Amino acid sequence: MIKVLLADDQALVRAGFRALLDAQPDIEVVGEAGDGHEAVEQARRLRPDVLLMDIRMPRMDGLAATRRIAAEERLSGTRIVILTTFELDEYVFEALRGGASGFLVKDTEPVELIHAVRVVAAGEALLSPSVTRRLIAEFAARARPPASDVRLNALTDREREVMALVAEGLTNEEIAERLVVSPATAKTHVSRAMVKLGARDRAQLVVFAYQSGLVRPGWS
């Protein structure tokens, strides 16, 4: 069973998500939180596989809650998905930098929400890769020019190449096809890059790729 925690200050939103997710045979909503502080406490107590986190909540917002949860090693197995009203939201970018695995707009189709929970729980994060990449590029373009990050020196040339393709939003299968290698080899390169950079998941690789200057907004 995939254990899900819901964090949103609107009870009606939580009730809708709970009804939808609990109806699935492989998903169980194990708890709810009405603000960021409760989300952190519930995450510590319940250790959910996926946490659907609203950004704008009282007492502690979703950004602060995301940073706290991502910073706790014992919660490394909890994947945070940000819930937002707008795709191009600067707070979403900050949440991805802070450790979120991806995001969903609140009016997403039910089948997409269910699929997203399963994908993230399986460790396949980056939700809506093209949209997330576009959002990161949007805000990276407004930031100061990136400085070269010395951590890139730990990567092999192939790992850098694979990381740039991850930043394009490609799956392991698509990377394998592009580089004419097996999907297992592509997955290995992605995993090694994540380990060397201390990235929680693919979303973190995308953020790092832009912040380090490995890729730039508008590159293809």
Side-chain angles (χ1 to χ4, degrees):
M1 293 290 288
I2 300 171
K3 298 188 298 182
V4 177
L5 174 63
L6 305 175
D8 194 295
D9 62 340
Q10 298 183 48
L12 188 59
V13 172
R14 298 199 306 271
F17 283 168
R18 175 183 279 275
L20 175 65
L21 296 173
D22 273 345
Q24 307 307 309
D26 58 336
I27 300 175
E28 177 188 9
V29 176
V30 294
E32 298 182 21
D35 59 52
H37 179 74
E38 288 183 6
V40 174
E41 293 303 313
Q42 293 271 42
R44 288 168 176 164
R45 183 171 66 86
L46 300 170
R47 305 286 183 87
D49 301 303
V50 178
L51 198 171
L52 298 180
M53 178 91 75
D54 188 24
I55 289 181
R56 295 164 181 81
M57 295 186 290
R59 289 215 293 170
M60 180 190 297
D61 64 23
L63 285 179
T66 293
R67 293 191 190 101
R68 289 199 182 187
I69 293 170
E72 295 198 18
E73 186 174 349
R74 61 177 177 162
L75 295 178
S76 61
T78 296
R79 300 297 183 221
I80 300 171
V81 178
I82 296 298
L83 299 173
T84 181
T85 306
F86 308 103
E87 287 182 350
L88 292 180
D89 186 331
E90 62 182 313
Y91 295 107
V92 174
F93 178 52
E94 289 302 321
L96 291 172
R97 290 178 60 187
S101 296
F103 73 96
L104 284 172
V105 290
K106 285 190 175 182
D107 62 353
T108 189
E109 293 294 325
V111 66
E112 293 179 4
L113 172 65
I114 295 167
H115 175 68
V117 168
R118 289 172 175 151
V119 166
V120 173
E124 294 295 331
L126 191 57
L127 300 179
S128 306
S130 61
V131 177
T132 303
R133 178 165 49 89
R134 191 168 70 244
L135 177 139
I136 292 174
E138 170 82 10
F139 292 100
R142 300 179 188 178
R144 64 180 184 277
S148 180
D149 194 306
V150 294
R151 286 179 292 176
L152 283 177
N153 296 334
L155 302 182
T156 65
D157 289 341
R158 180 47 65 100
E159 287 165 354
R160 291 191 189 201
E161 187 177 14
V162 167
M163 185 169 149
L165 294 176
V166 170
E168 281 190 39
L170 272 61
T171 64
N172 289 341
E173 289 72 19
E174 291 168 336
I175 291 172
E177 185 176 347
R178 180 80 65 88
L179 300 180
V180 195
V181 297
S182 71
T185 297
K187 182 177 181 180
T188 296
H189 287 310
V190 172
S191 298
R192 286 177 178 169
M194 287 171 56
V195 169
K196 289 181 179 180
L197 297 174
R200 286 169 61 93
D201 53 36
R202 298 171 78 94
Q204 293 294 290
L205 279 187
V206 176
V207 172
F208 187 88
Y210 278 101
Q211 289 189 320
S212 66
L214 181 66
V215 295
R216 304 288 177 85
W219 284 16
S220 61

